[in-house]
Amino acid sequence: MSKPARSPVLIALASLPLLLACTPLAREAGPDATSPTAAGARTRCSAMAAVQADRLRITTAEWVEAGQRRARDPQAAREVGDPLPAHCLLRGRLDERIGTDGEPYHTGFELRLPAAGNGRLLYQGGGGNDGVLQMAVGRNTGAQGWADNGLQRGFAAVSTDAGHQSPSPLFGLDPQAREEHAWRAHWRTATTARLLFERFYGRAPQRSYFIGCSGGGRQGMMFTQRFPELFDGVIAQAPAMRVSQGATIAAAWTVQKLLAVAAPDASGYRHLATALGDAQLQRVAQEVLDRCDAADGLVDGLVAETALCRIDPRRLVCPAGGDGCLSPAQAQALTAVMAGPFNRDGRRLYFPWPWDPGIAAPGWRAWTLGSATRGEPDARHVTLMSGALGFEFTTPPDPTLTVLNFDFERDPLRLEPFHRVYGTADDVLLKGFRERGGKLLLVHGMADPIFSALETVDYQQRVDAAHGAAAASRFVRTFLVPGMNHCAGGPATDAFDGLAAIVDWVEQGRAPERI
Protein backbone atom coordinates (compact mmCIF):
# COMPACT_ATOMS: atom_id res chain seq x y z
CA MET A 1 0.00 0.00 0.00
CA SER A 2 1.15 3.56 -0.52
CA LYS A 3 0.42 6.59 1.55
CA PRO A 4 0.74 10.32 0.90
CA ALA A 5 3.83 11.84 2.45
CA ARG A 6 3.80 15.26 4.03
CA SER A 7 3.79 16.88 0.58
CA PRO A 8 2.48 15.82 -2.85
CA VAL A 9 5.57 13.59 -3.06
CA LEU A 10 4.06 10.13 -2.70
CA ILE A 11 5.51 6.76 -1.77
CA ALA A 12 4.87 4.00 -4.30
CA LEU A 13 4.51 0.80 -2.27
CA ALA A 14 2.06 -1.29 -4.30
CA SER A 15 3.02 -4.95 -4.20
CA LEU A 16 3.37 -7.11 -7.29
CA PRO A 17 0.40 -9.34 -6.39
CA LEU A 18 -1.76 -6.25 -6.03
CA LEU A 19 -0.61 -4.94 -9.38
CA LEU A 20 -1.36 -8.20 -11.12
CA ALA A 21 -4.81 -8.26 -9.59
CA CYS A 22 -5.64 -4.81 -10.90
CA THR A 23 -7.60 -4.51 -14.13
CA PRO A 24 -5.17 -3.33 -16.82
CA LEU A 25 -6.00 -0.64 -19.30
CA ALA A 26 -8.36 -2.31 -21.76
CA ARG A 27 -6.54 -3.23 -24.93
CA GLU A 28 -9.46 -2.40 -27.18
CA ALA A 29 -10.58 0.74 -25.35
CA GLY A 30 -9.64 4.24 -26.34
CA PRO A 31 -10.92 7.74 -26.76
CA ASP A 32 -11.80 6.91 -30.35
CA ALA A 33 -10.62 3.45 -31.40
CA THR A 34 -9.14 3.19 -34.87
CA SER A 35 -9.39 -0.32 -36.24
CA PRO A 36 -9.12 -0.84 -40.01
CA THR A 37 -9.75 -4.35 -41.27
CA ALA A 38 -6.71 -6.63 -41.39
CA ALA A 39 -6.65 -6.58 -45.19
CA GLY A 40 -7.08 -2.83 -45.25
CA ALA A 41 -4.31 -2.37 -42.70
CA ARG A 42 -1.89 -4.47 -44.76
CA THR A 43 -2.66 -2.40 -47.83
CA ARG A 44 -2.22 0.84 -45.93
CA CYS A 45 1.07 -0.41 -44.52
CA SER A 46 2.50 -1.08 -47.98
CA ALA A 47 1.42 2.37 -49.11
CA MET A 48 3.28 4.01 -46.24
CA ALA A 49 6.57 3.34 -48.02
CA ALA A 50 5.68 6.10 -50.47
CA VAL A 51 4.91 8.79 -47.88
CA GLN A 52 6.89 11.94 -48.53
CA ALA A 53 7.51 14.77 -46.11
CA ASP A 54 10.22 17.26 -45.25
CA ARG A 55 13.58 15.44 -45.27
CA LEU A 56 11.92 12.11 -44.51
CA ARG A 57 12.84 8.77 -46.05
CA ILE A 58 10.91 5.62 -45.18
CA THR A 59 13.31 2.66 -45.24
CA THR A 60 10.96 -0.10 -44.02
CA ALA A 61 7.21 -0.58 -44.37
CA GLU A 62 6.52 -4.14 -43.23
CA TRP A 63 3.32 -5.86 -42.17
CA VAL A 64 3.76 -8.01 -39.05
CA GLU A 65 1.12 -10.67 -38.44
CA ALA A 66 -0.26 -11.20 -34.95
CA GLY A 67 1.78 -13.61 -32.84
CA GLN A 68 4.93 -13.48 -34.98
CA ARG A 69 7.02 -11.37 -32.62
CA ARG A 70 7.40 -10.47 -28.98
CA ALA A 71 9.04 -7.49 -27.34
CA ARG A 72 12.77 -7.81 -26.81
CA ASP A 73 14.27 -6.59 -23.55
CA PRO A 74 17.71 -5.26 -24.58
CA GLN A 75 19.18 -5.46 -21.09
CA ALA A 76 18.11 -9.06 -20.56
CA ALA A 77 18.83 -9.86 -24.23
CA ARG A 78 15.71 -11.98 -24.56
CA GLU A 79 12.11 -11.82 -25.72
CA VAL A 80 9.52 -11.08 -23.06
CA GLY A 81 5.77 -10.74 -22.69
CA ASP A 82 2.90 -11.96 -24.83
CA PRO A 83 3.13 -12.07 -28.63
CA LEU A 84 2.54 -8.70 -30.26
CA PRO A 85 -0.66 -7.94 -32.16
CA ALA A 86 -0.85 -7.44 -35.92
CA HIS A 87 0.79 -4.15 -36.82
CA CYS A 88 2.56 -2.09 -39.45
CA LEU A 89 6.28 -1.66 -38.79
CA LEU A 90 7.81 1.54 -40.17
CA ARG A 91 11.42 2.62 -39.96
CA GLY A 92 12.76 5.80 -41.42
CA ARG A 93 15.40 8.49 -41.49
CA LEU A 94 15.05 12.21 -40.94
CA ASP A 95 17.48 15.00 -41.81
CA GLU A 96 20.31 12.96 -43.35
CA ARG A 97 23.51 15.02 -43.41
CA ILE A 98 27.29 15.03 -43.03
CA GLY A 99 28.48 16.51 -39.74
CA THR A 100 31.33 18.95 -39.21
CA ASP A 101 33.37 15.96 -38.03
CA GLY A 102 32.96 14.37 -41.47
CA GLU A 103 30.64 11.62 -40.20
CA PRO A 104 27.19 10.81 -41.62
CA TYR A 105 24.22 11.53 -39.36
CA HIS A 106 20.44 11.22 -39.41
CA THR A 107 17.60 10.84 -36.97
CA GLY A 108 16.46 7.24 -37.12
CA PHE A 109 13.03 6.22 -35.86
CA GLU A 110 10.81 3.17 -35.57
CA LEU A 111 7.02 3.35 -35.47
CA ARG A 112 4.65 0.43 -34.94
CA LEU A 113 0.99 0.98 -35.82
CA PRO A 114 -1.40 -1.75 -34.61
CA ALA A 115 -4.24 -2.84 -36.88
CA ALA A 116 -6.60 -2.64 -33.90
CA GLY A 117 -5.42 0.77 -32.74
CA ASN A 118 -6.99 2.58 -29.81
CA GLY A 119 -6.40 6.10 -31.14
CA ARG A 120 -3.41 6.75 -28.88
CA LEU A 121 0.29 7.36 -29.61
CA LEU A 122 3.02 6.45 -27.10
CA TYR A 123 6.55 7.85 -27.42
CA GLN A 124 9.13 5.47 -25.92
CA GLY A 125 12.03 7.42 -24.43
CA GLY A 126 15.66 6.41 -24.83
CA GLY A 127 18.58 6.66 -22.42
CA GLY A 128 22.32 6.79 -21.91
CA ASN A 129 24.11 8.23 -24.93
CA ASP A 130 21.24 6.94 -27.14
CA GLY A 131 22.50 6.17 -30.64
CA VAL A 132 20.59 2.87 -30.74
CA LEU A 133 17.16 2.36 -32.30
CA GLN A 134 15.31 0.29 -29.72
CA MET A 135 12.29 -1.82 -30.60
CA ALA A 136 9.28 0.50 -30.47
CA VAL A 137 6.67 -1.32 -28.41
CA GLY A 138 5.73 1.46 -26.00
CA ARG A 139 7.77 0.30 -23.03
CA ASN A 140 5.86 0.69 -19.78
CA THR A 141 7.32 1.64 -16.40
CA GLY A 142 9.43 -0.39 -13.99
CA ALA A 143 10.75 -3.92 -14.14
CA GLN A 144 8.00 -5.27 -16.42
CA GLY A 145 8.06 -2.38 -18.86
CA TRP A 146 9.13 -4.33 -21.93
CA ALA A 147 6.80 -7.25 -21.28
CA ASP A 148 3.78 -5.13 -20.32
CA ASN A 149 3.96 -2.72 -23.23
CA GLY A 150 1.64 -0.26 -24.90
CA LEU A 151 1.56 -1.95 -28.31
CA GLN A 152 -0.18 -4.93 -26.72
CA ARG A 153 -2.89 -2.53 -25.54
CA GLY A 154 -3.48 -0.91 -28.91
CA PHE A 155 -1.13 2.07 -28.67
CA ALA A 156 0.93 3.07 -31.66
CA ALA A 157 4.53 3.26 -30.40
CA VAL A 158 7.56 5.22 -31.61
CA SER A 159 11.25 5.31 -30.65
CA THR A 160 14.34 7.12 -31.95
CA ASP A 161 18.13 6.96 -31.86
CA ALA A 162 18.19 10.71 -31.01
CA GLY A 163 20.08 11.84 -34.09
CA HIS A 164 23.22 9.66 -34.14
CA GLN A 165 23.87 6.02 -34.92
CA SER A 166 26.23 4.76 -32.22
CA PRO A 167 26.15 4.75 -28.40
CA SER A 168 29.73 6.02 -28.50
CA PRO A 169 30.00 9.61 -27.19
CA LEU A 170 32.04 10.70 -30.24
CA PHE A 171 28.93 12.32 -31.73
CA GLY A 172 29.54 15.13 -29.22
CA LEU A 173 32.31 16.41 -31.51
CA ASP A 174 29.60 17.59 -33.93
CA PRO A 175 27.74 20.66 -32.58
CA GLN A 176 24.49 19.86 -34.36
CA ALA A 177 24.52 16.27 -33.08
CA ARG A 178 24.64 17.69 -29.56
CA GLU A 179 21.58 19.80 -30.27
CA GLU A 180 19.79 16.88 -31.91
CA HIS A 181 20.44 14.72 -28.85
CA ALA A 182 19.24 17.47 -26.53
CA TRP A 183 15.89 18.20 -28.19
CA ARG A 184 15.64 18.54 -31.96
CA ALA A 185 15.72 14.84 -32.92
CA HIS A 186 12.96 14.15 -30.41
CA TRP A 187 10.78 16.98 -31.70
CA ARG A 188 11.29 15.74 -35.27
CA THR A 189 10.47 12.17 -34.28
CA ALA A 190 7.35 13.14 -32.35
CA THR A 191 5.93 15.37 -35.09
CA THR A 192 6.77 12.85 -37.82
CA ALA A 193 5.15 10.04 -35.85
CA ARG A 194 1.97 12.11 -35.61
CA LEU A 195 2.01 12.71 -39.36
CA LEU A 196 2.49 9.01 -40.16
CA PHE A 197 -0.17 8.03 -37.63
CA GLU A 198 -2.63 10.29 -39.43
CA ARG A 199 -1.66 8.92 -42.85
CA PHE A 200 -2.18 5.33 -41.65
CA TYR A 201 -5.39 5.73 -39.68
CA GLY A 202 -6.90 8.70 -41.50
CA ARG A 203 -6.95 10.89 -38.41
CA ALA A 204 -4.56 12.39 -35.86
CA PRO A 205 -3.93 10.72 -32.49
CA GLN A 206 -6.73 11.41 -30.06
CA ARG A 207 -4.28 11.27 -27.15
CA SER A 208 -0.47 11.23 -27.00
CA TYR A 209 1.72 9.95 -24.17
CA PHE A 210 5.41 9.74 -23.30
CA ILE A 211 7.19 7.26 -21.01
CA GLY A 212 10.94 7.29 -20.41
CA CYS A 213 13.54 6.71 -17.71
CA SER A 214 16.92 8.30 -17.06
CA GLY A 215 17.86 10.13 -20.25
CA GLY A 216 14.37 9.20 -21.41
CA GLY A 217 12.95 10.88 -18.31
CA ARG A 218 14.86 14.01 -19.24
CA GLN A 219 13.40 13.80 -22.75
CA GLY A 220 9.89 13.66 -21.31
CA MET A 221 10.52 16.73 -19.15
CA MET A 222 12.01 18.49 -22.17
CA PHE A 223 8.75 17.97 -24.06
CA THR A 224 6.69 19.47 -21.23
CA GLN A 225 8.90 22.57 -21.34
CA ARG A 226 9.82 23.11 -25.02
CA PHE A 227 6.89 21.48 -26.83
CA PRO A 228 3.96 21.35 -24.39
CA GLU A 229 1.44 20.87 -27.19
CA LEU A 230 2.71 17.42 -28.20
CA PHE A 231 1.83 15.21 -25.20
CA ASP A 232 -1.19 14.94 -22.94
CA GLY A 233 0.57 12.83 -20.33
CA VAL A 234 4.26 12.31 -19.55
CA ILE A 235 5.93 9.83 -17.18
CA ALA A 236 9.50 10.84 -16.38
CA GLN A 237 11.28 8.17 -14.35
CA ALA A 238 14.59 9.03 -12.66
CA PRO A 239 14.88 12.06 -14.96
CA ALA A 240 18.39 13.23 -15.83
CA MET A 241 17.54 16.84 -15.02
CA ARG A 242 21.06 18.05 -14.26
CA VAL A 243 23.09 15.21 -15.73
CA SER A 244 25.49 17.51 -17.57
CA GLN A 245 26.13 19.82 -14.62
CA GLY A 246 25.25 17.80 -11.55
CA ALA A 247 24.93 14.03 -11.66
CA THR A 248 28.09 13.61 -13.73
CA ILE A 249 30.00 15.68 -11.19
CA ALA A 250 28.59 13.39 -8.49
CA ALA A 251 29.70 10.35 -10.47
CA ALA A 252 33.25 11.73 -10.59
CA TRP A 253 33.12 12.47 -6.85
CA THR A 254 31.90 8.94 -6.06
CA VAL A 255 34.53 7.25 -8.22
CA GLN A 256 37.38 9.31 -6.85
CA LYS A 257 36.34 8.86 -3.20
CA LEU A 258 35.90 5.09 -3.57
CA LEU A 259 38.99 4.56 -5.69
CA ALA A 260 41.09 6.20 -2.98
CA VAL A 261 40.15 3.46 -0.48
CA ALA A 262 40.43 0.50 -2.86
CA ALA A 263 43.27 -1.77 -1.81
CA PRO A 264 46.18 -1.72 -4.30
CA ASP A 265 47.17 -4.98 -5.95
CA ALA A 266 50.72 -6.32 -6.19
CA SER A 267 51.57 -3.79 -8.91
CA GLY A 268 50.07 -0.89 -6.94
CA TYR A 269 46.97 -0.58 -9.16
CA ARG A 270 43.71 0.19 -7.35
CA HIS A 271 40.64 -1.64 -8.67
CA LEU A 272 37.47 0.36 -8.10
CA ALA A 273 35.36 -2.79 -7.65
CA THR A 274 37.31 -3.72 -4.49
CA ALA A 275 36.64 -0.46 -2.64
CA LEU A 276 33.61 -2.02 -0.92
CA GLY A 277 32.81 -5.73 -0.80
CA ASP A 278 29.35 -7.23 -1.11
CA ALA A 279 29.37 -8.27 2.55
CA GLN A 280 30.17 -4.69 3.54
CA LEU A 281 27.34 -3.28 1.46
CA GLN A 282 24.99 -5.86 2.94
CA ARG A 283 26.01 -4.74 6.41
CA VAL A 284 25.36 -1.11 5.48
CA ALA A 285 21.93 -2.10 4.14
CA GLN A 286 21.13 -3.93 7.36
CA GLU A 287 22.16 -0.89 9.37
CA VAL A 288 19.73 1.22 7.32
CA LEU A 289 16.93 -1.25 7.96
CA ASP A 290 17.71 -1.59 11.66
CA ARG A 291 17.73 2.14 12.25
CA CYS A 292 15.16 3.43 9.74
CA ASP A 293 12.66 0.76 8.67
CA ALA A 294 10.22 1.49 11.50
CA ALA A 295 10.30 5.28 11.02
CA ASP A 296 7.22 5.15 8.79
CA GLY A 297 5.28 3.12 11.34
CA LEU A 298 5.60 -0.22 9.56
CA VAL A 299 8.47 -2.72 9.74
CA ASP A 300 8.31 -4.18 6.23
CA GLY A 301 11.84 -4.16 4.80
CA LEU A 302 11.27 -0.79 3.08
CA VAL A 303 12.51 2.61 4.22
CA ALA A 304 9.84 5.13 3.30
CA GLU A 305 10.79 7.99 5.63
CA THR A 306 14.27 8.65 4.28
CA ALA A 307 14.20 12.22 5.62
CA LEU A 308 14.29 10.76 9.13
CA CYS A 309 17.04 8.24 8.34
CA ARG A 310 20.42 9.22 9.79
CA ILE A 311 23.26 6.76 9.24
CA ASP A 312 26.84 7.07 10.48
CA PRO A 313 29.08 4.51 8.72
CA ARG A 314 31.60 4.85 11.53
CA ARG A 315 29.30 2.62 13.58
CA LEU A 316 30.26 -0.21 11.21
CA VAL A 317 33.99 0.10 11.85
CA CYS A 318 35.24 -2.93 13.78
CA PRO A 319 38.64 -2.54 15.48
CA ALA A 320 39.26 -6.27 15.25
CA GLY A 321 37.93 -6.57 11.70
CA GLY A 322 35.45 -9.18 10.56
CA ASP A 323 33.09 -10.01 7.73
CA GLY A 324 31.20 -6.91 6.66
CA CYS A 325 33.17 -4.50 8.83
CA LEU A 326 34.31 -1.19 7.36
CA SER A 327 37.73 0.30 7.80
CA PRO A 328 37.87 3.90 9.04
CA ALA A 329 38.87 5.04 5.54
CA GLN A 330 35.96 3.15 3.95
CA ALA A 331 33.50 4.65 6.45
CA GLN A 332 34.80 8.13 5.67
CA ALA A 333 34.61 7.54 1.91
CA LEU A 334 31.05 6.21 2.08
CA THR A 335 29.99 9.19 4.19
CA ALA A 336 31.43 11.54 1.58
CA VAL A 337 29.79 9.65 -1.30
CA MET A 338 26.33 9.77 0.26
CA ALA A 339 26.71 13.46 1.14
CA GLY A 340 27.31 14.34 -2.51
CA PRO A 341 30.01 16.54 -4.04
CA PHE A 342 31.29 19.87 -2.72
CA ASN A 343 34.04 22.22 -3.79
CA ARG A 344 36.67 23.28 -1.28
CA ASP A 345 34.65 26.38 -0.32
CA GLY A 346 31.80 24.15 0.80
CA ARG A 347 29.51 24.91 -2.13
CA ARG A 348 27.29 21.94 -2.96
CA LEU A 349 27.72 20.68 -6.54
CA TYR A 350 24.85 18.14 -6.51
CA PHE A 351 22.35 16.59 -4.13
CA PRO A 352 23.03 14.10 -1.34
CA TRP A 353 21.65 10.55 -1.57
CA PRO A 354 18.99 8.92 0.60
CA TRP A 355 20.15 6.06 2.78
CA ASP A 356 18.29 3.03 1.47
CA PRO A 357 18.84 -0.75 1.74
CA GLY A 358 19.00 -0.86 -2.05
CA ILE A 359 22.64 0.14 -1.65
CA ALA A 360 23.43 -3.60 -1.45
CA ALA A 361 21.60 -4.46 -4.69
CA PRO A 362 23.48 -5.30 -7.92
CA GLY A 363 22.18 -2.16 -9.62
CA TRP A 364 23.93 0.09 -7.10
CA ARG A 365 27.24 -1.72 -7.53
CA ALA A 366 26.95 -1.76 -11.33
CA TRP A 367 27.00 2.05 -11.42
CA THR A 368 29.35 2.95 -8.60
CA LEU A 369 31.85 0.09 -8.25
CA GLY A 370 31.46 -2.40 -11.06
CA SER A 371 32.87 -5.89 -10.81
CA ALA A 372 36.16 -5.76 -12.71
CA THR A 373 39.16 -6.80 -10.63
CA ARG A 374 41.46 -6.74 -13.65
CA GLY A 375 42.06 -4.05 -16.21
CA GLU A 376 40.02 -0.86 -16.43
CA PRO A 377 36.98 -0.19 -14.20
CA ASP A 378 33.65 -1.36 -15.61
CA ALA A 379 31.42 0.75 -13.32
CA ARG A 380 28.93 2.73 -15.43
CA HIS A 381 30.07 5.91 -13.68
CA VAL A 382 33.30 5.35 -15.60
CA THR A 383 32.28 3.58 -18.82
CA LEU A 384 29.25 5.75 -19.59
CA MET A 385 29.70 9.02 -17.75
CA SER A 386 33.36 9.65 -18.64
CA GLY A 387 32.68 9.61 -22.37
CA ALA A 388 29.63 11.83 -22.09
CA LEU A 389 31.56 14.20 -19.83
CA GLY A 390 34.50 14.75 -22.16
CA PHE A 391 32.81 14.62 -25.56
CA GLU A 392 29.34 16.10 -25.00
CA PHE A 393 28.87 17.82 -21.66
CA THR A 394 32.07 19.90 -21.77
CA THR A 395 32.21 22.95 -24.03
CA PRO A 396 34.35 22.81 -26.08
CA PRO A 397 34.76 19.02 -26.02
CA ASP A 398 37.78 17.73 -24.12
CA PRO A 399 38.38 14.00 -24.74
CA THR A 400 41.05 13.99 -22.02
CA LEU A 401 38.54 14.86 -19.31
CA THR A 402 37.10 11.88 -17.41
CA VAL A 403 35.51 11.21 -14.05
CA LEU A 404 38.94 10.03 -12.89
CA ASN A 405 40.68 13.38 -13.37
CA PHE A 406 37.74 15.78 -12.95
CA ASP A 407 38.71 18.89 -10.94
CA PHE A 408 35.88 20.00 -8.66
CA GLU A 409 37.14 23.60 -8.53
CA ARG A 410 37.85 24.29 -12.18
CA ASP A 411 35.81 21.90 -14.32
CA PRO A 412 32.20 22.57 -13.23
CA LEU A 413 32.29 25.90 -15.08
CA ARG A 414 33.05 24.06 -18.31
CA LEU A 415 29.72 22.21 -18.02
CA GLU A 416 27.44 25.23 -17.72
CA PRO A 417 26.98 26.06 -21.45
CA PHE A 418 25.65 22.62 -22.37
CA HIS A 419 23.46 22.46 -19.27
CA ARG A 420 21.59 25.48 -20.60
CA VAL A 421 20.70 23.42 -23.69
CA TYR A 422 20.34 19.97 -22.16
CA GLY A 423 19.10 20.49 -18.62
CA THR A 424 15.45 20.37 -17.54
CA ALA A 425 15.64 21.31 -13.85
CA ASP A 426 14.85 25.02 -14.07
CA ASP A 427 11.34 25.36 -15.55
CA VAL A 428 8.83 24.79 -12.76
CA LEU A 429 6.07 26.91 -14.26
CA LEU A 430 5.37 24.55 -17.20
CA LYS A 431 2.98 27.22 -18.42
CA GLY A 432 1.95 25.79 -21.78
CA PHE A 433 1.76 22.21 -20.50
CA ARG A 434 -0.33 23.18 -17.47
CA GLU A 435 -2.70 25.43 -19.42
CA ARG A 436 -3.53 22.70 -21.94
CA GLY A 437 -4.29 20.22 -19.15
CA GLY A 438 -1.12 18.13 -19.41
CA LYS A 439 -0.20 15.72 -16.62
CA LEU A 440 3.37 14.97 -15.49
CA LEU A 441 4.10 11.90 -13.37
CA LEU A 442 7.58 11.70 -11.81
CA VAL A 443 8.83 8.36 -10.47
CA HIS A 444 12.19 7.81 -8.77
CA GLY A 445 13.85 4.93 -6.93
CA MET A 446 15.25 5.92 -3.55
CA ALA A 447 18.35 3.74 -4.12
CA ASP A 448 19.10 5.20 -7.55
CA PRO A 449 22.91 5.53 -7.70
CA ILE A 450 23.20 7.96 -10.65
CA PHE A 451 20.38 10.49 -10.13
CA SER A 452 19.49 11.25 -6.53
CA ALA A 453 15.81 10.87 -5.67
CA LEU A 454 16.24 14.05 -3.64
CA GLU A 455 16.73 15.96 -6.90
CA THR A 456 13.25 14.91 -8.03
CA VAL A 457 11.85 15.77 -4.59
CA ASP A 458 13.45 19.20 -4.91
CA TYR A 459 11.82 19.71 -8.32
CA GLN A 460 8.38 18.82 -6.95
CA GLN A 461 8.90 21.16 -4.01
CA ARG A 462 9.82 24.03 -6.34
CA VAL A 463 6.73 23.31 -8.46
CA ASP A 464 4.67 23.40 -5.25
CA ALA A 465 6.22 26.72 -4.25
CA ALA A 466 5.52 28.24 -7.66
CA HIS A 467 1.87 27.16 -7.91
CA GLY A 468 0.80 26.22 -4.40
CA ALA A 469 0.78 22.58 -3.38
CA ALA A 470 -2.90 21.99 -4.12
CA ALA A 471 -2.73 23.51 -7.61
CA ALA A 472 0.56 21.76 -8.37
CA SER A 473 -0.88 18.36 -7.45
CA ARG A 474 -3.44 18.75 -10.22
CA PHE A 475 -0.78 18.46 -12.93
CA VAL A 476 2.51 17.22 -11.37
CA ARG A 477 2.86 14.33 -8.93
CA THR A 478 5.97 12.52 -7.69
CA PHE A 479 6.23 8.92 -6.51
CA LEU A 480 9.28 7.60 -4.69
CA VAL A 481 9.95 3.87 -4.77
CA PRO A 482 11.79 2.55 -1.69
CA GLY A 483 14.57 0.11 -2.49
CA MET A 484 14.53 0.69 -6.24
CA ASN A 485 17.80 1.29 -8.09
CA HIS A 486 18.03 3.12 -11.41
CA CYS A 487 14.71 2.65 -13.27
CA ALA A 488 14.20 -0.85 -11.76
CA GLY A 489 15.88 -3.45 -9.56
CA GLY A 490 16.73 -3.60 -5.89
CA PRO A 491 14.68 -4.80 -2.90
CA ALA A 492 11.70 -2.85 -4.20
CA THR A 493 8.17 -2.90 -5.52
CA ASP A 494 9.58 -2.12 -8.94
CA ALA A 495 6.83 -3.69 -11.08
CA PHE A 496 4.10 -1.12 -11.55
CA ASP A 497 1.71 -0.06 -14.29
CA GLY A 498 2.46 3.60 -14.88
CA LEU A 499 0.79 3.60 -18.29
CA ALA A 500 -2.63 2.81 -16.85
CA ALA A 501 -2.11 5.44 -14.15
CA ILE A 502 -1.25 8.28 -16.55
CA VAL A 503 -4.06 7.40 -18.96
CA ASP A 504 -6.56 7.28 -16.11
CA TRP A 505 -5.36 10.68 -14.88
CA VAL A 506 -5.48 12.32 -18.32
CA GLU A 507 -8.70 10.80 -19.62
CA GLN A 508 -10.75 10.17 -16.46
CA GLY A 509 -9.42 12.91 -14.21
CA ARG A 510 -8.42 10.41 -11.51
CA ALA A 511 -5.09 11.61 -10.13
CA PRO A 512 -3.01 8.70 -8.78
CA GLU A 513 -2.70 8.46 -5.01
CA ARG A 514 -0.54 5.36 -5.39
CA ILE A 515 0.91 3.27 -8.19
Side-chain angles (χ1 to χ4, degrees), residues 143-218:
Q144 301 299 317
W146 288 103
D148 182 18
N149 58 71
L151 187 62
Q152 293 171 334
R153 305 183 188 191
F155 288 75
V158 65
S159 65
T160 182
D161 59 17
H164 55 277
Q165 286 63 63
S166 169
S168 164
L170 293 176
F171 74 90
L173 297 174
D174 178 69
Q176 184 173 335
R178 287 181 168 212
E179 186 174 353
E180 297 286 347
H181 191 219
W183 64 270
R184 191 176 184 279
H186 300 288
W187 167 69
R188 286 284 280 151
T189 297
T191 54
T192 301
R194 292 178 65 86
L195 180 149
L196 295 173
F197 184 108
E198 185 169 3
R199 295 288 181 89
F200 184 74
Y201 292 117
R203 63 184 307 159
Q206 299 301 293
R207 296 288 187 182
S208 296
Y209 295 91
F210 181 101
I211 296 179
C213 189
S214 191
R218 183 204 69 83

Side-chain angles (χ1 to χ4, degrees), residues 261-282:
V261 298
D265 62 16
S267 64
Y269 188 88
R270 296 179 185 270
H271 295 281
L272 179 61
T274 66
L276 290 168
D278 289 341
Q280 293 172 315
L281 292 176
Q282 288 288 351

Side-chain angles (χ1 to χ4, degrees), residues 287-288 291-292 305-313 315 355:
E287 176 78 357
V288 174
R291 299 185 68 82
C292 305
E305 292 289 352
T306 55
L308 303 178
C309 189
R310 298 288 185 270
I311 299 297
D312 185 351
R315 286 173 44 89
W355 287 98

Side-chain angles (χ1 to χ4, degrees), residues 2 9 22-23 37 70 104-105 152 223 298 332 449 510:
S2 63
V9 178
C22 292
T23 302
T37 66
R70 298 162 65 202
Y105 290 96
Q152 293 171 334
F223 276 119
L298 182 65
Q332 183 178 10
R510 290 193 288 265

Side-chain angles (χ1 to χ4, degrees), residues 75 246 330 338 496:
Q75 186 170 3
Q330 287 174 317
M338 298 301 286
F496 49 94

Side-chain angles (χ1 to χ4, degrees), residues 44 101 124 129 186 194 253 262 293 297 328 347 387 421 444 469 507:
R44 292 187 191 188
D101 55 358
Q124 175 181 297
N129 289 330
H186 300 288
R194 292 178 65 86
W253 176 268
D293 188 355
R347 183 171 69 88
V421 178
H444 210 132
E507 298 179 19

Side-chain angles (χ1 to χ4, degrees), residues 300-327:
D300 56 359
L302 298 171
V303 176
E305 292 289 352
T306 55
L308 303 178
C309 189
R310 298 288 185 270
I311 299 297
D312 185 351
R314 291 177 299 181
R315 286 173 44 89
L316 305 180
V317 174
C318 312
D323 190 38
C325 292
L326 301 182
S327 70

Side-chain angles (χ1 to χ4, degrees), residues 9 27 117 129 158 230 234 252 258 261 277 333 375 417 429 460 478 493 506:
V9 178
R27 295 170 190 258
N129 289 330
V158 65
L230 289 179
V234 170
L258 293 177
V261 298
L429 296 179
Q460 178 73 64
T478 294
T493 54
V506 168

